[in-house]
Amino acid sequence: MAAPCQTAGEPGRDCPLCPRLTAFRLKSRAREPEWHNAPVPSFGDVSARLMIVGLAPGLKGANRTGRPFTGDYAGDLLYQTLLKFGFAEGVYGAHPNDGLSLIDCRITNAVRCVPPANKPLPEEMRACRPFLENAIAAMPRLAVIVALGRIAHESVLRASGEKLAGFPFGHGREHGLAMAGHAPLRLFDSYHCSRYNTNTRVLTAPMFEAVFAAVRASLDASSRQSSG
Ligand code: URA
């Protein structure tokens, strides 16, 4: 029987596509049998207009809890910012049963399995890209994508079939994308909200919030256009 991850739109629990990530996952399962230790599914409704693309699950964060950015240091800033801009409601409690829900927003990762040292290899990004393509294709109302970091930015461009050279990554940059099956999309870039970037102040909370303020303005403008 074919492995589910090769036939369905989402990777199966035992997705075998990346030998290094599979070996890492098996070690983590043996060490921490209570953890999720599997590809992390996207979070949020497919009818959302906003998709946020992260890099990959953190070992003790999303890989443990099974929800993107949940229990990860990076999730503290991400979820607080989503709450502030009306893309989430409830209280972020760093665990998947905290009752937090996303509003008009869905979160996924460029690579679904936890990579050693948080660094996926190019072939792992390539192997996982069909799942990103499927996640994008599954969102009929998609209007805006936020790429958290250069790797997410490049994965989104490759998934869209666009050439990287025409769309240089930069914090706060906004790009127009044409993707088959979607109305014209806006891609917003942000530095990744990782512990390293925030501790070194490469990314500050106001810089991150500025990106989501621009995203909110873009979505509000397109709502006004379609209602008037
Ligand atoms: N957790 C995720 O799910 N994705 C990231 O990119 C970082 C932490």
Side-chain angles (χ1 to χ4, degrees), residues 1 13 76-77 90 111 146 180 187 198 207 210 214 220:
M1 195 173 79
R13 194 173 156 75
D76 293 348
L77 179 57
V111 174
V146 173
L187 169 63
T198 52
M207 286 168 69
D220 287 354

Side-chain angles (χ1 to χ4, degrees), residues 36-51:
H36 174 74
N37 288 317
V40 173
S42 309
F43 174 38
D45 205 283
V46 290
S47 65
R49 290 180 301 160
L50 169 62
M51 171 174 256

Side-chain angles (χ1 to χ4, degrees), residues 45-127:
D45 205 283
V46 290
S47 65
R49 290 180 301 160
L50 169 62
M51 171 174 256
I52 299 170
V53 182
L55 170 60
L59 179 63
K60 296 180 182 169
N63 175 66
R64 174 175 59 85
T65 63
R67 195 176 75 179
F69 287 89
T70 299
D72 280 301
Y73 180 91
D76 293 348
L77 179 57
L78 177 61
Y79 286 113
Q80 288 319 322
T81 306
L82 295 180
L83 285 161
K84 183 163 184 173
F85 287 91
F87 292 116
E89 66 187 347
V91 175
Y92 171 61
H95 58 88
N97 302 322
D98 56 11
L100 183 94
S101 53
L102 299 181
I103 302 172
D104 207 13
C105 173
R106 185 165 164 85
I107 307 176
T108 197
N109 279 306
V111 174
R112 298 293 190 93
C113 290
V114 57
N118 288 331
K119 286 197 170 51
L121 300 175
E123 60 266 31
E124 293 161 350
M125 297 173 213
R126 211 166 21 251

